[in-house]
Amino acid sequence: MTDMLSLAWQTIRGRRAGFVAAFVAVFCGAALLTACGVFIDSGLRAGVPPERYAGAAVVVGANQSLPTPQEAAQPYAERVPLPATDVARIAKVPGVKAAIGDTSVPIAVPTGESAKGLPPIFGHGWSSATLAPLTLTAGHAPQNPDEIVLEAALANEIGAHPGTTLKLVVGGLPLSANVVGLAAAPSDTPARQDAVYFPDQQAAALSGRAAQVDAIGVLAAPGVTADELAGRIHAALPNLKTYTGNDRADAEFLDVGQARSFLLEISGAFGGTMVMIVLFVVAATLGLGIQQRRREFALLRAIAATPRQVHRLVGAETYLLSTVAAVLGTLPGYGLSFLLRNAFATIGVVPADFDLVLDPVPALAAIVACVLTGRLAGLIAARRVARISPVDALGEAAVEPAKLGRIRVGIGWLLVVLALGASVVVPLLVPGEAGISGAAGAALLLVIAVALLGPRLLAMVGGLAGRLRLTTGGFLAAANTQANARRLSAAGTPLILGVTLAAVQVFTVTTMGAAAQHQAETGVVADYVLTSPLGGVAPQLTGVATGVPGVAAVTPVARTQVLATFHQLGNPTTESFTTQGVTADRLDSVLNLDVRQGNLAALTGNTVALSQTTAATIGVKVGGTLALHLGDGTVVTPRVIAIYGNGLGFGDVTLPNDVVIAHTTTRLDAAVLVRVRAGADPAAVGAALRAAVRAYPTVTVADRTAFVSAQNAAGNGQSLVNLLLDGVFLGYIAIAVANTLVMATAARGREFALLRLVGAGRRQVRAMMRAEARILIVTAVVVGSAAALPPLVGVSLGLTGSPLPSVPLWPYLGIVAGAALLGWASITIPTRVAMRPRPVLAISIRE
């Protein structure tokens, strides 16, 4: 083995240029896989320090996620509260000095009294100030319902002091409060949230759930450690969850736990796909390198090297190459994880202060994955040169084999048939998310089929080009394409892969976005919408709007997410679904959900309506029941009373408004839709609405476009995440394309020298390569677009029922331009470099 490694090292040193492309492919793959590993590790262990609970030894809360047997726990969208009676139960546990229940109440400061960039503000009971711990720096504790204590930092921001009367908005309703004190925490670190403290009874009343608390902070008796106390509490109340150390922030900030779940979800999907792409790209790169060394392997086979020895040599080369490249690639992988974290924070799916865990385990995992991937790619690439007979090997060293193997062609066409079936047939036979995923996944099958059938396809293109009236360069390019179709196919497959995946990923997002926008624009038939830029709209606004003269219908809309557990392909799975809460009374006057089955008039009590895609995904029909976990974890089993078509525009699940409101953290509506009575003056009704809501300083009256924009904005976050990850994928593929094309072109220096020695000039050689580049680029764009079309048709069928995906012209032209620029530069620039030596010297250089 040592001798084989030594021989492999000498080969790599002697053929540095031939191994650079594979090295770069593994290097970049290791960086991406390391970033995925950092996200997985951070999803399990990372977080932020506690603030308001920093003085508590232990924080007790409800489980904020739903455990699943085969997947990561799914986080609930809303705060899961605890019964207030648990405070007394925990206080009786030995070692507990005090147990204090805490409730958070969202507060808005109207424009004019708030500073720009102010953190979110929440109201709390004064007793919970001990958990920070806060100390009074001015004034006294709040005693009456209209008295408050402000944190000193917040008071400085809004210019308040003891004696100031503030106009706040609590629960969407105006509230005047007198500042009677200021308090400060021992830490000077900027807070993620600002706090306003009320008397305990007033805070409970404002929350709307006096019998519940958000969390319970526990102070330890002298001599009792936090871990010891947490164990005692868990033994006494096993259904509750205890938090110590930095984990206390999970009970304080819901977005921390949601960010963890997000990182675990996207890193699992991203990492799995990345391993497949790395395998594909490295296999193509190594395959091209082995093709360029076919004379060397032919000589080895001719002097009695066995297939096993050839495999061992290739294996030793790939082990050395992938190990070194992977080790070096892990270092920028950690930096890439921070860049992606910052991008996710900009989008709003991860808190900006969410710290990543830096540990050597992700790097080790990436190295192992890349080494194994490289070895598997080497086995695939060396299969032909190892098994071919020595006589045939010497023949193929000079001329490529004329035909592809029957097995290779058969597998290629089989994959084409399977991909077409998965693209079109699966969404029709398996409706819902499974069918859509099957259609999207067919793109990779088609790309693999193209890689297997590529030489035959390029030979056909070369023959077609040869029949046209071409220049000398074009004639040579066509002839070369036919004669060296295998080499060009290995170089061009990554370019086809890039065009296909770019088209599928980008136009899946545009198809979904266009359908959602169309559904929202055509589905909202209300004339006015009441919204609030600072939080939600109080449920009382529904009654206020109903009493305005000229109003025919009023419907409040609340938003949340629910979890549903169902069987998909025989396995239990849990997914999150976007949900809206509306009232059934005259709903069709303000909202058209495109009902396909059932009747939304029955949407009251324990009932639910589902979008067509969601109903197919879960496998339920009108009249059936399903189990849902509401936003705060409450389990309900509603009966399905309707199935509608406009799920992308308005949400997968529609529940009665009172059911949704009762199980959200804020107890607020997102908007109130208003329809003007026939014959009434819309302008007069609008003016009356504005006058009616004047007492609510954060509420605005707008037309239906405001609601449509809010609906579209709700789905933009996930679309931006998808586009960001797609950009990372395509960036890696672009590097692979440049690698293989530069490698394939640079290795043809002797060929260029021979052409020049027999009379071809530099311009003619460059003209030939430009013609080759045109053939390759046109083939990649046409084949890549054709390979992307069936998956996009399937995705469109699954999402909208129409076979026509949304393919905007400018993004498509951008993909074409990117492919053309990348292919052109990767061929023409190396051609110029390869022709720099004098022909006599270049042709004497060994291969």
Side-chain angles (χ1 to χ4, degrees):
M1 185 65 184
T2 304
D3 293 339
M4 191 61 70
L5 288 174
S6 177
L7 178 59
W9 175 244
Q10 293 177 17
T11 303
I12 293 174
R13 288 184 60 189
R15 291 182 171 273
R16 294 187 187 92
F19 286 96
V20 166
F23 181 91
V24 173
V26 176
F27 177 90
C28 296
L32 291 172
L33 293 178
T34 300
C36 291
V38 171
F39 286 157
I40 292 175
D41 199 14
S42 301
L44 295 173
R45 298 192 292 153
V48 300
E51 291 178 2
R52 291 182 295 106
Y53 298 156
V58 180
V59 177
V60 181
N63 198 333
Q64 290 294 146
S65 60
L66 176 65
T68 57
Q70 298 178 342
E71 303 171 344
Q74 294 281 349
Y76 296 120
E78 311 289 345
R79 167 80 65 178
V80 181
L82 292 174
T85 54
D86 285 343
V87 177
R89 297 173 63 190
I90 292 174
K92 296 178 182 179
V93 174
V96 173
K97 178 181 178 181
I100 303 168
D102 179 44
T103 300
S104 298
V105 183
I107 292 177
V109 178
T111 304
E113 295 186 13
S114 63
K116 186 177 181 180
L118 201 66
I121 305 173
F122 290 88
H124 305 274
W126 174 246
S127 63
S128 68
T130 307
L131 302 176
L134 291 176
T135 54
L136 282 170
T137 58
H140 59 83
Q143 299 173 354
N144 299 316
D146 61 345
E147 294 180 345
I148 59 173
V149 168
L150 298 179
E151 287 186 339
L154 174 61
N156 291 334
E157 289 282 358
I158 63 177
H161 52 80
T164 301
T165 299
L166 289 180
K167 294 180 180 179
L168 307 175
V169 176
V170 183
L173 301 175
L175 177 71
S176 293
N178 299 317
V179 179
V180 297
L182 302 179
S187 174
D188 295 331
T189 304
R192 299 179 87 242
Q193 298 176 351
D194 286 325
V196 175
Y197 291 92
F198 298 89
D200 289 347
Q201 291 184 345
Q202 176 70 348
L206 293 174
S207 71
R209 40 193 174 92
Q212 296 176 330
V213 294
D214 290 346
I216 301 171
V218 182
L219 305 180
V224 181
T225 66
D227 291 338
E228 181 183 1
L229 185 58
R232 294 179 185 179
I233 295 172
H234 181 71
L237 292 89
N239 293 330
L240 303 184
K241 189 170 183 178
T242 56
Y243 303 87
T244 59
N246 278 350
D247 289 345
R248 292 170 295 174
D250 286 11
E252 183 175 358
F253 308 117
L254 287 184
D255 57 350
V256 173
Q258 292 168 349
R260 284 179 171 180
S261 298
F262 167 79
L263 291 179
L264 288 174
E265 181 180 354
I266 64 105
S267 58
F270 182 72
T273 305
M274 201 64 241
V275 170
M276 295 178 61
I277 298 296
V278 170
L279 172 61
F280 190 86
V281 168
V282 173
T285 308
L286 288 175
L288 179 59
I290 288 175
Q291 282 188 40
Q292 293 175 346
R293 297 167 58 195
R294 59 184 184 271
R295 293 194 182 195
E296 174 187 328
F297 287 111
L299 180 59
L300 289 174
R301 295 287 286 122
I303 61 175
T306 65
R308 182 180 179 185
Q309 288 174 321
V310 173
H311 272 299
R312 288 180 62 192
L313 175 60
V314 174
E317 292 172 357
T318 54
Y319 277 135
L320 284 173
L321 180 87
S322 57
T323 299
V324 175
V327 170
L328 296 178
T330 57
L331 299 178
Y334 286 100
L336 178 62
S337 65
F338 280 93
L339 290 176
L340 290 175
R341 190 281 310 270
N342 293 340
F344 291 145
T346 301
I347 295 172
V349 294
V350 169
D353 58 351
F354 189 90
D355 292 328
L356 298 179
V357 174
L358 298 183
D359 193 86
V361 174
L364 294 175
I367 292 171
V368 171
C370 286
V371 171
L372 294 178
T373 299
R375 183 65 189 102
L376 180 58
L379 284 173
I380 296 172
R383 185 179 60 87
R384 180 173 180 80
V385 297
R387 71 175 184 172
I388 194 171
S389 68
V391 175
D392 292 338
L394 289 172
E396 289 191 6
V399 181
E400 284 189 355
K403 294 183 178 180
L404 298 177
R406 292 182 179 179
I407 296 178
R408 175 173 177 170
V409 173
I411 294 176
W413 285 115
L414 177 61
L415 290 177
V416 171
V417 173
L418 291 177
L420 293 176
S423 299
V424 181
V425 178
V426 171
L428 297 177
L429 298 181
V430 186
E433 293 291 340
I436 296 172
S437 300
L444 194 56
L445 292 179
L446 285 170
V447 171
I448 296 174
V450 168
L452 295 174
L453 301 175
R456 176 172 292 186
L457 182 63
L458 277 171
M460 293 172 56
V461 174
L464 178 61
R467 294 189 183 94
L468 301 175
R469 299 184 64 181
L470 301 171
T471 62
T472 301
F475 175 81
L476 290 174
N480 189 60
T481 301
Q482 288 181 287
N484 297 285
R486 288 176 182 266
R487 181 189 65 195
L488 291 177
S489 175
T493 297
L495 189 58
I496 297 173
L497 173 68
V499 173
T500 301
L501 292 186
V504 171
Q505 300 293 339
V506 171
F507 298 134
T508 293
V509 174
T510 58
T511 297
M512 185 180 299
Q517 183 174 359
H518 176 74
Q519 291 179 9
E521 289 175 349
T522 59
V524 178
V525 293
D527 296 298
Y528 292 102
V529 56
L530 308 183
T531 61
S532 172
L534 298 176
V537 177
Q540 290 88 335
L541 265 293
T542 300
V544 172
T546 303
V548 172
V551 169
V554 177
T555 297
V557 180
R559 293 195 184 99
T560 187
Q561 289 187 329
V562 300
L563 298 177
T565 301
F566 53 94
H567 281 77
Q568 190 174 66
L569 302 178
N571 298 316
T573 184
T574 301
E575 288 190 16
S576 176
F577 296 96
T578 56
T579 303
Q580 65 175 356
V582 298
T583 54
D585 184 31
R586 288 175 287 184
L587 175 62
D588 57 352
S589 297
V590 295
L591 212 56
N592 175 21
L593 295 181
D594 185 21
V595 177
R596 306 289 178 85
Q597 301 175 38
N599 189 350
L600 286 173
L603 187 68
T604 57
N606 195 29
T607 60
V608 65
L610 304 175
S611 71
Q612 193 170 20
T613 301
T614 302
T617 300
I618 297 176
V620 65
K621 299 180 180 179
V622 172
T625 59
L626 70 159
L628 297 177
H629 286 79
L630 299 179
D632 64 352
T634 302
V635 180
V636 295
T637 54
R639 178 174 55 88
V640 180
I641 52 88
I643 293 176
Y644 54 91
N646 287 347
L648 292 174
F650 299 100
D652 305 308
V653 178
T654 298
L655 288 165
N657 181 266
D658 57 346
V659 173
V660 172
I661 285 289
H663 298 280
T664 59
T665 304
T666 62
R667 302 296 204 274
L668 300 177
D669 288 309
V672 176
L673 303 180
V674 179
R675 180 68 179 268
V676 176
R677 182 182 297 120
D681 181 9
V685 174
L689 281 172
R690 292 183 182 89
V693 302
R694 195 166 294 145
Y696 306 90
T698 63
V699 176
T700 60
V701 179
D703 58 19
R704 69 182 69 179
T705 58
F707 182 77
V708 172
S709 298
Q711 293 288 97
N712 293 334
N716 284 343
Q718 186 60 45
S719 296
L720 290 174
V721 170
N722 291 338
L723 288 175
L724 175 63
L725 296 180
D726 293 344
V728 175
F729 275 130
L730 298 178
Y732 176 73
I733 292 172
I735 293 173
V737 170
N739 270 338
T740 54
L741 291 178
V742 169
M743 175 184 175
T745 305
R748 297 169 65 181
R750 296 180 79 248
E751 175 188 337
F752 299 155
L754 179 60
L755 287 172
R756 292 171 63 192
L757 287 174
V758 297
R762 287 177 177 268
R763 296 176 112 187
Q764 290 174 313
V765 175
R766 288 200 295 265
M768 178 191 75
M769 293 306 295
R770 287 196 298 269
E772 259 188 52
R774 286 193 294 269
I775 291 174
L776 194 62
I777 291 169
V778 170
T779 302
V781 170
V782 172
V783 175
S785 300
L789 187 58
L792 288 174
V793 169
V795 168
S796 183
L797 281 172
L799 289 174
T800 67
S802 168
L804 299 177
S806 175
V807 182
L809 177 61
W810 289 112
Y812 179 72
L813 292 179
I815 293 173
V816 172
L821 179 62
L822 192 61
W824 191 267
S826 300
I827 291 176
T828 57
I829 295 176
T831 298
R832 290 180 175 271
V833 174
M835 287 196 300
R836 283 179 179 175
R838 293 174 58 191
V840 175
L841 295 177
I843 202 167
S844 65
I845 299 174
R846 67 181 179 89
E847 289 185 347

